[in-house]
Amino acid sequence: MGGFAAMLVLVCSHGYAQTNTTVEVTVHADRPGAIIHPEIYGQFAEQLGHGIYGGIWVGEHSATPNIRGYRKDVVEALKAIKVPVVRWPGGCFADQYDWRDGIGPRDKRPVRMNASWGGEDDNRFGTHEFMDFAELIGAKTYLSINVGTGTPREMSQWIEYITADVHSSLAQERRANGRDKPWKLDYVGIGNEMWGCGGSMRPQFYADVYRQYATFVHAPEHAPIVRIASGANADDLGWTDTAMSMAGSQIDAISLHNYTIPTGDWKHKGSATEFGEAEWMSTLQGALRMDELIARHSAVMDKYDPKKRVGLAVDEWGNWTDQDPSAGDAALYQQNSLRDALSAAITLDIFQAHADRVRMANIAQMVNVLQAMILTDQSKMVLTPTYYVFDMYKVFQGATYLPVNVQAPAYRFGNVSVPGVHATAGRDATGIVHVALVNLDPHHADTVHLMLPGIKGSDVHGHVLTAPEINAINTFDHPDRVKPAAFGGAIFKQGVVTAVLPPKSVVVLDIH
Ligand code: AHR
């Protein structure tokens, strides 16, 4: 680790004195890795709570400013972070969804119970509304197909309705409902959590069901559809093994779901806002676990697919806390703090480090549900700390991954310890190298010496996201408490960037 083990005391720009730990980070531009698929910055929008209704869709006649029924503020915020792909309509909701309920005149659509999450759904938001929404924000489309209570015939008719450019009855029905040209359908998920809410299947049974459905995914020749198998819950390697061995040749990607529960107890998950350092630590540890999960699932996939043709799609991930006490009928509504921002940053770092296998990921979820990007209340909107991480990290979309080596003292709490600094790097198409650095330690600043062999830069700029408290949040009244600021703590000298990371912070540097 060279000679950087010193502990210093400095007064940082926030004006507080901190013990300063020295860290060495090397970015290996000489060993470029895979392209970072933009789709790892994907999002998940399930038909539940106030995620779609009120969060995305308010209808044309709403007092909330809207574009053809979509909230203008939300659309603009999503466009600003370049959302690459949206997964819809579930989740558990998808395996009870009849796509025919959501087409035709809105006032004639049936009202159904939302059996997964409670309440009723009058289907105002259906296929046209989803596909148009994705087009509006410039995102690819990912449909989760009803396998649990549906049929292959329903699936293939839904796909034809969306994608056919001929004069079949289904394509004509789409035209009669207001859409002449077909939409581009990019991904289909063959069921969701088939081991659980999708049908309580055993992996052997599901592998055959997958093969059956995959056979009937008929894509237009010029517009292939990626078929994603419903994959494992967390560390269920056996599920991945069985699916890959029995159906691997028909699988384009397989999913993985993993949520971090701060307390580790699904019955009492912990508060999104009222927590101490123990749950700060356990949540960041949960985020770090993603590395081991991907490595282990990928190793199983390697047995059947050593060339990594099949992608891993982490199409549900994030922090899941107790529902906010003020949530009312907004199922799975939780606030979002600086802790969520750091765990999102760590998780995105990990996806990038596995860019050769991870081709897509979808944070759960987009608006008003779980670890949301955006919270809304009537006409008010607030961007969360997690949103700002996606904003800072958008520079990595499509960049070439550059391996990083971090030599950092551990951050310890009680008898738990994790690496004090997490990092990732990529070179974009214009040659700019972007480096993200996360200081997990809530007490100590870090002086990072960034070694850049093979990088001819002379200039460094950056942004930092931090706040005075670990549980700092943005609210409708105080929307700017956790927001990126220009970072003045980095200098470039003799080929080395030295950056002072505040405690509990995310910094993204651009090296020209
Ligand atoms: O994201 C909420 C739920 O979590 C999804 O519906 C389900 O797939 C998962 O269990």
PDB file of all heavy atoms in Angstrom, residues 403-426:
ATOM      1  N   PRO A 403     -10.660  -1.446 -14.104  1.00  0.00           N
ATOM      2  CA  PRO A 403     -10.539  -2.081 -12.791  1.00  0.00           C
ATOM      3  C   PRO A 403      -9.901  -1.136 -11.765  1.00  0.00           C
ATOM      4  O   PRO A 403      -9.030  -0.345 -12.119  1.00  0.00           O
ATOM      5  CB  PRO A 403      -9.614  -3.278 -13.063  1.00  0.00           C
ATOM      6  CG  PRO A 403      -9.652  -3.487 -14.539  1.00  0.00           C
ATOM      7  CD  PRO A 403      -9.937  -2.159 -15.158  1.00  0.00           C
ATOM      8  N   VAL A 404     -10.358  -1.234 -10.539  1.00  0.00           N
ATOM      9  CA  VAL A 404      -9.784  -0.392  -9.474  1.00  0.00           C
ATOM     10  C   VAL A 404      -9.278  -1.283  -8.350  1.00  0.00           C
ATOM     11  O   VAL A 404      -9.829  -2.356  -8.085  1.00  0.00           O
ATOM     12  CB  VAL A 404     -10.810   0.600  -8.875  1.00  0.00           C
ATOM     13  CG1 VAL A 404     -11.161   1.686  -9.851  1.00  0.00           C
ATOM     14  CG2 VAL A 404     -12.053  -0.096  -8.387  1.00  0.00           C
ATOM     15  N   ASN A 405      -8.232  -0.816  -7.723  1.00  0.00           N
ATOM     16  CA  ASN A 405      -7.717  -1.503  -6.544  1.00  0.00           C
ATOM     17  C   ASN A 405      -7.728  -0.492  -5.402  1.00  0.00           C
ATOM     18  O   ASN A 405      -7.202   0.607  -5.547  1.00  0.00           O
ATOM     19  CB  ASN A 405      -6.292  -1.990  -6.843  1.00  0.00           C
ATOM     20  CG  ASN A 405      -5.746  -2.761  -5.673  1.00  0.00           C
ATOM     21  OD1 ASN A 405      -5.112  -2.181  -4.809  1.00  0.00           O
ATOM     22  ND2 ASN A 405      -6.021  -4.051  -5.632  1.00  0.00           N
ATOM     23  N   VAL A 406      -8.362  -0.863  -4.296  1.00  0.00           N
ATOM     24  CA  VAL A 406      -8.494   0.080  -3.175  1.00  0.00           C
ATOM     25  C   VAL A 406      -7.736  -0.464  -1.970  1.00  0.00           C
ATOM     26  O   VAL A 406      -7.966  -1.610  -1.555  1.00  0.00           O
ATOM     27  CB  VAL A 406      -9.986   0.267  -2.795  1.00  0.00           C
ATOM     28  CG1 VAL A 406     -10.118   1.245  -1.630  1.00  0.00           C
ATOM     29  CG2 VAL A 406     -10.795   0.744  -3.993  1.00  0.00           C
ATOM     30  N   GLN A 407      -6.836   0.305  -1.448  1.00  0.00           N
ATOM     31  CA  GLN A 407      -6.142  -0.040  -0.207  1.00  0.00           C
ATOM     32  C   GLN A 407      -6.612   0.957   0.834  1.00  0.00           C
ATOM     33  O   GLN A 407      -6.152   2.097   0.870  1.00  0.00           O
ATOM     34  CB  GLN A 407      -4.619   0.095  -0.382  1.00  0.00           C
ATOM     35  CG  GLN A 407      -4.025  -0.787  -1.454  1.00  0.00           C
ATOM     36  CD  GLN A 407      -3.964  -2.240  -1.016  1.00  0.00           C
ATOM     37  OE1 GLN A 407      -3.856  -2.538   0.174  1.00  0.00           O
ATOM     38  NE2 GLN A 407      -4.073  -3.145  -1.964  1.00  0.00           N
ATOM     39  N   ALA A 408      -7.563   0.520   1.658  1.00  0.00           N
ATOM     40  CA  ALA A 408      -8.145   1.457   2.629  1.00  0.00           C
ATOM     41  C   ALA A 408      -8.261   0.782   3.984  1.00  0.00           C
ATOM     42  O   ALA A 408      -8.610  -0.403   4.050  1.00  0.00           O
ATOM     43  CB  ALA A 408      -9.528   1.897   2.159  1.00  0.00           C
ATOM     44  N   PRO A 409      -8.022   1.523   5.056  1.00  0.00           N
ATOM     45  CA  PRO A 409      -8.278   0.960   6.379  1.00  0.00           C
ATOM     46  C   PRO A 409      -9.758   0.626   6.531  1.00  0.00           C
ATOM     47  O   PRO A 409     -10.602   1.230   5.870  1.00  0.00           O
ATOM     48  CB  PRO A 409      -7.884   2.095   7.338  1.00  0.00           C
ATOM     49  CG  PRO A 409      -7.110   3.061   6.533  1.00  0.00           C
ATOM     50  CD  PRO A 409      -7.550   2.904   5.113  1.00  0.00           C
ATOM     51  N   ALA A 410     -10.043  -0.338   7.382  1.00  0.00           N
ATOM     52  CA  ALA A 410     -11.443  -0.736   7.581  1.00  0.00           C
ATOM     53  C   ALA A 410     -12.200   0.342   8.340  1.00  0.00           C
ATOM     54  O   ALA A 410     -11.622   1.099   9.126  1.00  0.00           O
ATOM     55  CB  ALA A 410     -11.488  -2.039   8.352  1.00  0.00           C
ATOM     56  N   TYR A 411     -13.503   0.389   8.080  1.00  0.00           N
ATOM     57  CA  TYR A 411     -14.405   1.156   8.947  1.00  0.00           C
ATOM     58  C   TYR A 411     -15.045   0.121   9.875  1.00  0.00           C
ATOM     59  O   TYR A 411     -15.592  -0.878   9.423  1.00  0.00           O
ATOM     60  CB  TYR A 411     -15.449   1.888   8.092  1.00  0.00           C
ATOM     61  CG  TYR A 411     -16.759   2.169   8.796  1.00  0.00           C
ATOM     62  CD1 TYR A 411     -16.779   2.776  10.056  1.00  0.00           C
ATOM     63  CD2 TYR A 411     -17.981   1.829   8.214  1.00  0.00           C
ATOM     64  CE1 TYR A 411     -17.974   3.016  10.714  1.00  0.00           C
ATOM     65  CE2 TYR A 411     -19.185   2.074   8.849  1.00  0.00           C
ATOM     66  CZ  TYR A 411     -19.176   2.656  10.109  1.00  0.00           C
ATOM     67  OH  TYR A 411     -20.362   2.878  10.763  1.00  0.00           O
ATOM     68  N   ARG A 412     -14.913   0.375  11.187  1.00  0.00           N
ATOM     69  CA  ARG A 412     -15.408  -0.599  12.169  1.00  0.00           C
ATOM     70  C   ARG A 412     -16.536  -0.009  13.001  1.00  0.00           C
ATOM     71  O   ARG A 412     -16.482   1.163  13.370  1.00  0.00           O
ATOM     72  CB  ARG A 412     -14.283  -0.982  13.148  1.00  0.00           C
ATOM     73  CG  ARG A 412     -13.184  -1.770  12.526  1.00  0.00           C
ATOM     74  CD  ARG A 412     -12.065  -2.028  13.552  1.00  0.00           C
ATOM     75  NE  ARG A 412     -10.794  -2.079  12.856  1.00  0.00           N
ATOM     76  CZ  ARG A 412     -10.370  -3.112  12.152  1.00  0.00           C
ATOM     77  NH1 ARG A 412     -11.102  -4.199  12.065  1.00  0.00           N
ATOM     78  NH2 ARG A 412      -9.206  -3.069  11.530  1.00  0.00           N
ATOM     79  N   PHE A 413     -17.503  -0.843  13.334  1.00  0.00           N
ATOM     80  CA  PHE A 413     -18.508  -0.466  14.330  1.00  0.00           C
ATOM     81  C   PHE A 413     -18.812  -1.722  15.135  1.00  0.00           C
ATOM     82  O   PHE A 413     -19.215  -2.743  14.576  1.00  0.00           O
ATOM     83  CB  PHE A 413     -19.782   0.072  13.672  1.00  0.00           C
ATOM     84  CG  PHE A 413     -20.804   0.491  14.691  1.00  0.00           C
ATOM     85  CD1 PHE A 413     -20.651   1.684  15.386  1.00  0.00           C
ATOM     86  CD2 PHE A 413     -21.882  -0.330  14.999  1.00  0.00           C
ATOM     87  CE1 PHE A 413     -21.565   2.056  16.363  1.00  0.00           C
ATOM     88  CE2 PHE A 413     -22.798   0.030  15.969  1.00  0.00           C
ATOM     89  CZ  PHE A 413     -22.639   1.232  16.645  1.00  0.00           C
ATOM     90  N   GLY A 414     -18.608  -1.649  16.453  1.00  0.00           N
ATOM     91  CA  GLY A 414     -18.750  -2.857  17.272  1.00  0.00           C
ATOM     92  C   GLY A 414     -17.778  -3.897  16.767  1.00  0.00           C
ATOM     93  O   GLY A 414     -16.606  -3.601  16.523  1.00  0.00           O
ATOM     94  N   ASN A 415     -18.270  -5.102  16.566  1.00  0.00           N
ATOM     95  CA  ASN A 415     -17.355  -6.130  16.066  1.00  0.00           C
ATOM     96  C   ASN A 415     -17.502  -6.350  14.556  1.00  0.00           C
ATOM     97  O   ASN A 415     -17.098  -7.374  14.034  1.00  0.00           O
ATOM     98  CB  ASN A 415     -17.522  -7.458  16.834  1.00  0.00           C
ATOM     99  CG  ASN A 415     -18.967  -7.895  16.827  1.00  0.00           C
ATOM    100  OD1 ASN A 415     -19.765  -7.319  16.091  1.00  0.00           O
ATOM    101  ND2 ASN A 415     -19.306  -8.888  17.631  1.00  0.00           N
ATOM    102  N   VAL A 416     -18.121  -5.377  13.875  1.00  0.00           N
ATOM    103  CA  VAL A 416     -18.279  -5.490  12.422  1.00  0.00           C
ATOM    104  C   VAL A 416     -17.293  -4.545  11.746  1.00  0.00           C
ATOM    105  O   VAL A 416     -17.088  -3.424  12.206  1.00  0.00           O
ATOM    106  CB  VAL A 416     -19.710  -5.089  11.999  1.00  0.00           C
ATOM    107  CG1 VAL A 416     -19.903  -5.327  10.514  1.00  0.00           C
ATOM    108  CG2 VAL A 416     -20.748  -5.847  12.807  1.00  0.00           C
ATOM    109  N   SER A 417     -16.706  -5.011  10.641  1.00  0.00           N
ATOM    110  CA  SER A 417     -15.852  -4.088   9.892  1.00  0.00           C
ATOM    111  C   SER A 417     -16.040  -4.304   8.400  1.00  0.00           C
ATOM    112  O   SER A 417     -16.287  -5.423   7.933  1.00  0.00           O
ATOM    113  CB  SER A 417     -14.391  -4.242  10.300  1.00  0.00           C
ATOM    114  OG  SER A 417     -13.808  -5.313   9.629  1.00  0.00           O
ATOM    115  N   VAL A 418     -15.961  -3.213   7.664  1.00  0.00           N
ATOM    116  CA  VAL A 418     -16.079  -3.247   6.195  1.00  0.00           C
ATOM    117  C   VAL A 418     -14.979  -2.341   5.648  1.00  0.00           C
ATOM    118  O   VAL A 418     -14.464  -1.486   6.370  1.00  0.00           O
ATOM    119  CB  VAL A 418     -17.468  -2.742   5.717  1.00  0.00           C
ATOM    120  CG1 VAL A 418     -18.581  -3.671   6.151  1.00  0.00           C
ATOM    121  CG2 VAL A 418     -17.734  -1.311   6.169  1.00  0.00           C
ATOM    122  N   PRO A 419     -14.643  -2.492   4.348  1.00  0.00           N
ATOM    123  CA  PRO A 419     -13.655  -1.563   3.790  1.00  0.00           C
ATOM    124  C   PRO A 419     -14.161  -0.122   3.914  1.00  0.00           C
ATOM    125  O   PRO A 419     -15.333   0.152   3.651  1.00  0.00           O
ATOM    126  CB  PRO A 419     -13.562  -1.995   2.313  1.00  0.00           C
ATOM    127  CG  PRO A 419     -14.114  -3.380   2.283  1.00  0.00           C
ATOM    128  CD  PRO A 419     -15.124  -3.467   3.391  1.00  0.00           C
ATOM    129  N   GLY A 420     -13.284   0.778   4.313  1.00  0.00           N
ATOM    130  CA  GLY A 420     -13.700   2.156   4.573  1.00  0.00           C
ATOM    131  C   GLY A 420     -14.044   2.928   3.309  1.00  0.00           C
ATOM    132  O   GLY A 420     -14.807   3.895   3.359  1.00  0.00           O
ATOM    133  N   VAL A 421     -13.458   2.530   2.184  1.00  0.00           N
ATOM    134  CA  VAL A 421     -13.710   3.248   0.925  1.00  0.00           C
ATOM    135  C   VAL A 421     -14.058   2.249  -0.169  1.00  0.00           C
ATOM    136  O   VAL A 421     -13.459   1.165  -0.248  1.00  0.00           O
ATOM    137  CB  VAL A 421     -12.472   4.080   0.499  1.00  0.00           C
ATOM    138  CG1 VAL A 421     -12.611   4.619  -0.925  1.00  0.00           C
ATOM    139  CG2 VAL A 421     -12.258   5.239   1.465  1.00  0.00           C
ATOM    140  N   HIS A 422     -15.035   2.606  -0.979  1.00  0.00           N
ATOM    141  CA  HIS A 422     -15.435   1.781  -2.126  1.00  0.00           C
ATOM    142  C   HIS A 422     -15.246   2.634  -3.367  1.00  0.00           C
ATOM    143  O   HIS A 422     -15.389   3.854  -3.313  1.00  0.00           O
ATOM    144  CB  HIS A 422     -16.903   1.373  -1.969  1.00  0.00           C
ATOM    145  CG  HIS A 422     -17.208   0.061  -2.581  1.00  0.00           C
ATOM    146  ND1 HIS A 422     -17.699  -0.064  -3.855  1.00  0.00           N
ATOM    147  CD2 HIS A 422     -17.070  -1.186  -2.096  1.00  0.00           C
ATOM    148  CE1 HIS A 422     -17.854  -1.351  -4.121  1.00  0.00           C
ATOM    149  NE2 HIS A 422     -17.483  -2.060  -3.077  1.00  0.00           N
ATOM    150  N   ALA A 423     -14.926   1.998  -4.501  1.00  0.00           N
ATOM    151  CA  ALA A 423     -14.625   2.809  -5.687  1.00  0.00           C
ATOM    152  C   ALA A 423     -14.988   2.089  -6.968  1.00  0.00           C
ATOM    153  O   ALA A 423     -15.115   0.857  -7.004  1.00  0.00           O
ATOM    154  CB  ALA A 423     -13.133   3.146  -5.715  1.00  0.00           C
ATOM    155  N   THR A 424     -15.168   2.869  -8.029  1.00  0.00           N
ATOM    156  CA  THR A 424     -15.347   2.320  -9.365  1.00  0.00           C
ATOM    157  C   THR A 424     -14.819   3.347 -10.364  1.00  0.00           C
ATOM    158  O   THR A 424     -14.662   4.528 -10.027  1.00  0.00           O
ATOM    159  CB  THR A 424     -16.828   2.007  -9.653  1.00  0.00           C
ATOM    160  OG1 THR A 424     -16.921   1.264 -10.879  1.00  0.00           O
ATOM    161  CG2 THR A 424     -17.669   3.267  -9.811  1.00  0.00           C
ATOM    162  N   ALA A 425     -14.538   2.882 -11.587  1.00  0.00           N
ATOM    163  CA  ALA A 425     -14.016   3.813 -12.601  1.00  0.00           C
ATOM    164  C   ALA A 425     -14.417   3.357 -13.992  1.00  0.00           C
ATOM    165  O   ALA A 425     -14.637   2.164 -14.235  1.00  0.00           O
ATOM    166  CB  ALA A 425     -12.495   3.897 -12.513  1.00  0.00           C
ATOM    167  N   GLY A 426     -14.497   4.312 -14.896  1.00  0.00           N
ATOM    168  CA  GLY A 426     -14.795   3.998 -16.296  1.00  0.00           C
ATOM    169  C   GLY A 426     -14.305   5.118 -17.195  1.00  0.00           C
ATOM    170  O   GLY A 426     -14.186   6.272 -16.762  1.00  0.00           O
TER     171      GLY A 426
END
